[in-house]
């Protein structure tokens, strides 16, 4: 009996795979750290267990029920104590002291040198303040927040005054719960946002198409012919890899297509492909670029030619043709011969009969992947999907216009904002810190649950996506794990927009945009310190 895959499980697979990849290295480190303690506990407990066994074992026959119960309870108690000891040591407030050591030694973990020379003795972790317990122990006074003890404006003005940020900088901070703006530095001035544009793209497509919308790639057979057409549905996550990790698979589509053809007693076909869903130029105005393939409604693995899954990479110059060629090879492996001259471009007719199809995960998962990895290919595809959902033209210009129009219809302060693409690669894009914080606050509003993936997809400082290798400096560590933000970088442009929980427990949405920097690494670090200051500040 074949059990069909549950829809909920299919939707969750990409996220579960992502979580597994993120957590696996940390679990491995924990296992290595705990193993010696576990061994010592086992060796220490063995004589006691032997002694207990000797006490309760009767002179003749098996153990009685009371004896078995006593033995099990005693051994269980010993193991529980041992496990607690291994997890410790613990301080007087009920917090593991290892947490403080971990925070202090954060920067020395992993494969980065961090400035030490070969032969240097490892440094002892510097003392670091404990985080307040989630539940304060009885009789223990709660530690006061607001460690800086300064008005928020004073704290941020100083940090945003860093010369590495360049001559132009704007910022806004909003209390998500109340919608009140708690900081404003030229928040209405429009600057080049770089990849923080993707926040606007995410809000637009989720509100236009819905979180459960899926992108379909299919094959059709033209009636009365042997012509099979591979029809692109604008799914930028379609993959030809053996491990699809829950994304739509070209291999699965080949399985279904081959089976459908064999039922029709067809083992030789002419193959064509239809990428006509998107219109206009495929090449971004910036030209050929390793950050973005030509934008087409049919592509596999984002047209990457080096096997990578994210970041800059060499790209195919014709992703649709290459995807069709790969599909033809997959059909051949499944016993379907492709007649010469191979796949060619052709638009499927309305009379064509569907042979097989595959669908992307829900749009919510696609949006999260775009934001976490700052994926330009997904962003441009979703801009076009926004246009399709609202009756616009699925092109660079049409997608940009659809994003702006959708945000206006949501009542957001578009004002002087300008959109020219969905990814932020175009330097002519202009957004305000005001608009970015309102977008983030809207995503956290109970009135817009459909926008929640905008927040859950943001990279987590020190852990995921484009923030996984940041927040390593001591001045930034208060932001680790609590800052979630979309990064943005172009030559001279550095931006950061996201959310953070401050020391008072407030969820804050922030946006920092800067222009004219001559030192990108220093500018990024300055923005990271500013967001981290929000995390450690109970400022008003």
């Amino acid at each position: 009996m074949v059990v069909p895959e549950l829809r909920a499980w299919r939707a969750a697979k990409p996220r579960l795979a992502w979580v597994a990849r993120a957590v696996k290295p940390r679990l491995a480190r924990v296992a290595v750290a705990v193993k010696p303690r576990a061994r010592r506990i086992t060796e220490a407990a063995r004589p006691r267990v032997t002694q207990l066994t000797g006490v309760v074992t009767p002179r003749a026959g098996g153990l009685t029920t009371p004896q078995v119960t006593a033995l099990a309870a005693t051994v269980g108690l010993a193991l529980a104590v041992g496990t607690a000891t291994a997890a410790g040591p613990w301080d007087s407030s009920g917090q593991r002291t290892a947490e403080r050591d971990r925070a202090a030694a954060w920067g020395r973990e992993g494969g980065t040198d961090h400035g030490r020379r070969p032969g240097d003795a490892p440094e002892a972790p510097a003392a670091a303040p404990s985080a307040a317990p989630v539940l304060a122990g009885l009789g223990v006074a709660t530690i006061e927040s607001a460690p800086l003890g300064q008005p928020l404006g004073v704290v941020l003005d100083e940090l945003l005054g860093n010369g590495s940020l360049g001559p132009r900088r704007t910022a806004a901070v909003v209390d998500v719960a109340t919608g009140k703006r708690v900081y404003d530095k030229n928040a209405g001035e429009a600057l080049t946002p770089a990849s923080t544009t993707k926040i606007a793209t995410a809000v637009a497509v989720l509100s236009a198409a819905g979180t459960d919308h899926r992108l379909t790639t299919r094959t059709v057979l033209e009636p009365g012919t042997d012509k099979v057409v591979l029809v692109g549905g604008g799914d930028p996550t379609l993959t030809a890899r053996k491990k699809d990790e829950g994304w739509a698979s070209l291999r699965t589509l080949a399985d279904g297509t081959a089976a459908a053809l064999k039922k029709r007693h067809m083992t030789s076909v002419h193959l064509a492909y239809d990428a006509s869903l998107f219109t206009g130029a495929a090449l971004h105005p910036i030209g050929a670029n390793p950050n973005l393939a030509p934008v087409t409604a049919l592509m596999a693995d984002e047209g990457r030619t080096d096997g990578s899954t994210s970041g800059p990479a060499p790209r195919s110059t014709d992703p649709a043709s290459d995807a069709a060629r790969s599909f033809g090879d997959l059909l051949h492996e499944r016993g379907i011969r492709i007649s010469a001259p191979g796949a060619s471009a052709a638009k499927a007719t309305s009379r064509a009969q569907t042979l097989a199809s595959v669908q992307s995960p829900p749009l919510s998962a696609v949006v999260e992947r775009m934001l976490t990895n700052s994926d330009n290919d997904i962003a441009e595809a979703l801009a076009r999907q926004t246009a399709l959902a609202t009756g616009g033209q699925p092109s660079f210009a049409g997608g940009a216009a659809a994003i702006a129009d959708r945000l206006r219809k949501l009542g957001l302060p578009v004002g002087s904002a300008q959109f020219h693409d969905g990814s932020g690669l175009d330097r002519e894009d202009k957004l305000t810190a005001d608009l970015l914080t309102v977008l983030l606050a809207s995503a956290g509003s109970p009135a817009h649950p459909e926008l929640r993936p905008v927040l859950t997809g943001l990279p987590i400082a020190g852990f995921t996506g484009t923030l996984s290798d940041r927040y390593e400096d001591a001045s930034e560590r208060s932001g680790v794990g609590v800052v979630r933000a979309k990064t943005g970088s172009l030559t001279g442009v550095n931006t950061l927009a996201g959310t953070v929980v401050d020391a008072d427990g407030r969820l804050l949405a922030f946006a920092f945009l800067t222009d004219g920097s001559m030192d990108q690494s220093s500018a990024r670090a300055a923005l990271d310190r500013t967001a981290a200051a929000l995390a450690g500040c109970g400022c008003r």
Side-chain angles (χ1 to χ4, degrees):
M1 181 180 70
V2 178
V3 180
E5 187 176 44
L6 293 176
R7 181 175 180 181
W9 166 247
R10 202 174 97 192
K13 280 175 73 176
R15 301 180 188 179
L16 292 174
W18 173 79
V19 170
R21 287 195 303 273
V23 170
K24 188 176 180 181
R26 295 175 176 83
L27 289 179
R29 290 197 296 268
V30 171
V32 171
V34 169
K35 189 174 181 180
R37 293 185 184 181
R39 186 184 297 111
R40 288 197 299 271
I41 291 167
T42 303
E43 292 172 353
R46 185 180 291 116
R48 300 179 188 179
V49 173
T50 303
Q51 184 181 29
L52 287 169
T53 304
V55 170
V56 299
T57 301
R59 293 188 179 126
L63 294 174
T64 65
T65 298
Q67 290 171 334
V68 171
T69 303
L71 176 60
T74 306
V75 172
L77 181 59
L79 290 175
V81 171
T83 302
T85 303
W90 306 82
D91 64 21
S92 60
S93 66
Q95 181 187 12
R96 291 173 57 212
T97 56
E99 300 295 346
R100 292 200 303 272
D101 293 343
R102 166 68 170 153
W106 186 277
R108 293 194 295 277
E109 192 174 275
T112 308
D113 186 343
H114 296 291
R116 282 208 311 243
R117 294 169 298 181
D120 284 353
E123 301 174 10
S130 299
V134 176
L135 295 176
L138 292 178
V140 179
T142 303
I143 300 171
E144 290 295 328
S145 58
L148 297 181
Q150 302 179 54
L152 183 61
V154 173
V155 174
L156 296 187
D157 282 345
E158 180 179 351
L159 290 166
L160 291 171
N162 190 302
S164 67
L165 295 174
R168 302 178 67 193
R169 73 273 321 253
T170 70
V173 181
V174 171
D175 186 325
V176 173
T178 64
K180 178 184 176 182
R181 185 181 299 172
V182 296
Y183 181 76
D184 180 331
K185 184 180 183 65
N186 304 319
E189 180 182 353
L191 294 182
T192 301
S195 280
T196 54
T197 301
K198 294 180 176 74
I199 295 173
T201 302
V203 168
V205 73
L206 288 169
S207 65
T211 56
D212 293 330
H213 181 66
R214 296 170 185 262
L215 309 175
T216 303
T217 306
R218 60 196 177 99
T219 53
V220 298
L221 178 65
E222 294 292 354
T225 74
D226 66 349
K227 182 179 181 180
V228 173
V229 185
L230 173 63
V231 183
D235 180 5
T237 66
L238 181 69
T239 180
R241 296 189 173 96
K242 289 183 179 180
K243 293 183 178 181
D244 59 50
E245 297 185 342
W247 305 100
S249 170
L250 208 57
R251 293 171 181 270
T252 302
L253 184 60
D255 290 338
T257 302
L261 289 171
K262 289 175 181 178
K263 282 184 179 180
R264 292 170 168 79
H265 306 290
M266 299 176 68
T267 57
S268 178
V269 298
H270 283 87
L271 180 63
Y273 63 90
D274 182 354
S276 63
L277 181 65
F278 293 167
T279 62
L283 201 62
H284 192 282
I286 64 173
N289 191 287
N291 291 294
L292 178 66
V295 183
T296 173
L298 175 63
M299 64 165 60
D301 301 305
E302 300 182 338
R304 297 172 181 271
T305 60
D306 64 351
S308 63
T309 58
S310 63
R315 306 298 185 113
S316 165
T317 57
D318 191 352
S321 176
D322 287 351
R325 188 179 302 110
S326 296
F327 185 69
D329 292 341
L330 292 170
L331 285 180
H332 186 267
E333 291 174 5
R334 288 153 178 77
I336 305 296
R337 188 171 68 86
I338 306 301
S339 300
S344 58
K347 185 175 175 61
T349 69
S350 59
R351 297 179 296 109
Q353 303 167 346
T354 298
L355 294 172
S357 65
V358 291
Q359 289 188 316
S360 72
L363 197 58
S364 55
V366 178
V367 164
E368 287 179 335
R369 174 172 162 178
M370 172 189 70
L371 293 170
T372 299
N373 295 333
S374 196
D375 194 304
N376 298 306
D377 299 274
I378 295 179
E380 295 302 343
L382 294 187
R384 286 158 175 74
Q385 293 293 342
T386 304
L388 289 169
T390 56
Q393 289 296 312
S395 61
F396 279 107
I403 292 171
D405 184 62
R406 192 65 192 169
L407 299 187
R408 289 190 189 96
K409 287 183 177 178
L410 289 172
L412 303 178
V414 176
S416 58
Q418 299 177 36
F419 293 94
H420 294 273
D421 63 8
S423 62
L425 286 173
D426 197 315
R427 300 183 71 89
E428 296 304 312
D429 290 333
K430 303 294 178 186
L431 295 185
T432 65
D434 179 30
L435 176 58
L436 285 169
T437 51
V438 172
L439 287 167
L440 292 163
S442 297
S445 168
H448 292 287
E450 75 281 4
L451 302 182
R452 205 72 76 244
V454 176
L455 300 185
T456 56
L458 294 173
I460 304 171
F463 284 93
T464 63
T466 54
L467 288 183
S468 61
D469 59 352
R470 289 168 63 165
Y471 289 80
E472 295 183 339
D473 187 80
S475 61
E476 304 159 2
R477 286 181 194 146
S478 61
V480 171
V482 293
V483 170
R484 304 190 67 144
K486 182 71 203 72
T487 56
S489 297
L490 293 171
T491 302
V493 173
N494 295 279
T495 61
L496 192 68
T499 63
V500 62
V501 177
D502 74 0
D504 286 335
R506 293 184 299 174
L507 178 62
L508 303 176
F510 65 87
F512 309 136
L513 290 81
T514 70
D515 194 0
S517 170
M518 302 300 290
D519 184 346
Q520 187 179 72
S521 60
S522 295
R524 285 180 176 178
L527 293 181
D528 290 346
R529 284 194 297 272
T530 306
L534 284 175
C537 184
C539 316
R540 294 290 175 178

